[in-house]
Amino acid sequence: SSIPEPLAEDFAPAAPLPVLFMNGTEDPIMPYAGGEVTLELFPRLAKLTKPKSRGRVVAVERAASMWAKRNGLDPKPTRRLLANPKKLDGCRVELQSWSKDGADPEVLLYRVIGGGHTLPGRSSYLPKRIVGRTCGDIDAVDVIWDFLSAKRRASVDEEAAH
């Protein structure tokens, strides 16, 4: 995911929000570096016709930085290359996290180096020629659940303290 270019121009969410991004650097649909969002079911034929644009997005790292700034977090993320147990899948995962004063990160970016438009750790529903590579180094469902459940627990604990 990213932020659509039209929304980025006046990016001003009303309140801070914990955000998790998980994007492949070789995603043929949602461009990691920003640009046109397209879906080509027949990539070889796309050379003959202009792909239909589904809008434009900003670069993923810029989108994460925008959220970090909005949330009042340190401007530079910490970066950590995660373990690579599935060496043959052609992917690696780098975790970038933004926090404030060493507290729990509020903005996370799982940069799936070499990954496509797939859910890491799960079977792809479309062929590799359409969506790119699937990374097996992390299980996206577990990562997302851990992030959301930690935020839920923090919210419940805050309510109980009041």
Side-chain angles (χ1 to χ4, degrees):
S1 63
S2 185
I3 297 173
E5 281 184 358
L7 295 178
E9 294 171 17
D10 298 317
F11 187 76
L17 182 70
V19 181
L20 182 146
F21 291 87
M22 189 176 296
N23 293 75
T25 60
E26 294 181 22
D27 187 330
I29 298 169
M30 179 71 63
Y32 189 86
E36 296 287 333
V37 177
T38 60
L39 173 60
E40 286 301 325
L41 296 178
F42 304 100
R44 292 185 182 145
L45 294 177
K47 296 175 186 175
L48 304 174
T49 62
K50 184 178 180 196
K52 180 182 177 196
S53 175
R54 299 178 187 284
R56 295 183 59 85
V57 293
V58 301
V60 174
E61 290 184 29
R62 178 175 170 224
S65 291
M66 291 169 67
W67 272 108
K69 181 178 179 182
R70 168 58 190 99
N71 289 357
L73 306 176
D74 296 333
K76 292 199 180 219
T78 60
R79 297 170 187 260
R80 180 171 55 105
L81 202 55
L82 302 184
N84 188 19
K86 303 287 184 181
K87 292 179 179 25
L88 298 178
D89 65 7
C91 303
R92 289 296 306 263
V93 179
E94 177 191 65
L95 173 59
Q96 296 180 28
S97 58
W98 288 261
S99 62
K100 185 169 184 146
D101 302 326
D104 284 344
E106 291 295 316
V107 176
L108 297 177
L109 167 57
Y110 286 83
R111 180 176 174 246
V112 185
I113 303 163
H117 194 81
T118 60
L119 193 60
R122 301 297 169 128
S123 298
S124 179
Y125 56 93
L126 289 171
K128 181 179 171 181
R129 67 180 168 76
I130 296 173
V131 295
R133 280 187 231 134
T134 301
C135 182
D137 295 340
I138 61 173
D139 186 325
V141 173
D142 289 343
V143 167
I144 294 165
W145 175 254
D146 290 346
F147 180 78
L148 294 175
S149 62
K151 300 308 172 198
R152 173 71 178 136
R153 279 193 304 271
S155 174
V156 169
D157 290 346
E158 288 173 11
E159 287 178 21
H162 293 290

